[in-house]
Amino acid sequence: MNKQDILTLYRYNQWANAKILNAASKATQEQYLAEATFPHGGLRGTLVHTLFAEWIWRKRWEGTSPNMRLRPEEFPTFESLHLRWMEEEKLLLTFVNGLTDERLEQYFDYTSTEGTPHTRLLWHAMAHLVNHGTQHRSEAAVMLTDFGHSPGDLDMIHVLSEI
């Protein structure tokens, strides 16, 4: 995996997140807060989990291991979540744009929120994060579609000609 490959993945990630967030902006407050049987609950819980993953992995790649999680209660409205997401997106893309091929092949150490130490290859963790987002964007897309706000196709192939 080289820097260009990672840039492609993260441009896709940004595009797909934007489609989900745009659709979520059309949900009512009740829909945003509604409970569901997905692994992280309803729309808010699923989106917060996805944002949390982007935040914590970036922090780990930068050399810190937060021992706390973002909680849905910290984002009482979609607007509060969207604002925080846009801040994180800038930080994440700054990190990604600053990478080199050599750095992608290096290992990094971190401690999980449960206190377990790990060592991972950077590009593996970075590919994991995009894949992780795909799962939870899909869950959010199902909820949004049920609410009448489908984000449309999220397949990577649809954005490759644009990036």
Side-chain angles (χ1 to χ4, degrees), residues 132-150:
H132 175 269
T134 298
Q135 174 187 343
H136 297 299
R137 281 189 298 267
S138 296
E139 293 167 351
V142 169
M143 288 180 255
L144 288 162
T145 299
D146 284 348
F147 297 151
H149 307 297
S150 174

Side-chain angles (χ1 to χ4, degrees), residues 48-157:
V48 169
H49 176 74
T50 308
L51 171 60
F52 164 70
E54 293 193 3
W55 170 75
I56 199 165
W57 280 108
R58 177 187 56 81
K59 296 294 279 182
R60 290 168 175 169
W61 302 332
E62 292 175 339
T64 61
S65 292
N67 60 6
M68 51 77 73
R69 295 176 171 270
L70 299 181
R71 296 182 338 269
E73 300 77 33
E74 296 174 55
F75 305 96
T77 64
F78 172 75
E79 292 76 17
S80 64
L81 174 71
H82 188 259
L83 180 64
R84 178 65 178 84
W85 203 309
M86 292 302 95
E87 293 169 2
E88 181 54 40
E89 181 178 273
K90 287 178 190 170
L91 294 168
L92 181 59
L93 292 177
T94 296
F95 177 84
V96 172
N97 285 318
L99 289 170
T100 63
D101 288 348
E102 295 75 24
R103 175 74 175 97
L104 287 167
E105 294 294 334
Q106 293 177 355
Y107 286 86
F108 70 101
D109 298 315
Y110 70 95
T111 303
S112 71
T113 55
E114 293 81 23
T116 307
H118 296 277
T119 300
R120 301 271 188 239
L121 188 59
L122 181 59
W123 81 261
H124 285 182
M126 293 188 76
H128 160 74
L129 179 59
V130 174
N131 188 61
H132 175 269
T134 298
Q135 174 187 343
H136 297 299
R137 281 189 298 267
S138 296
E139 293 167 351
V142 169
M143 288 180 255
L144 288 162
T145 299
D146 284 348
F147 297 151
H149 307 297
S150 174
D153 279 330
L154 296 171
D155 290 332
M156 188 174 179
I157 198 74

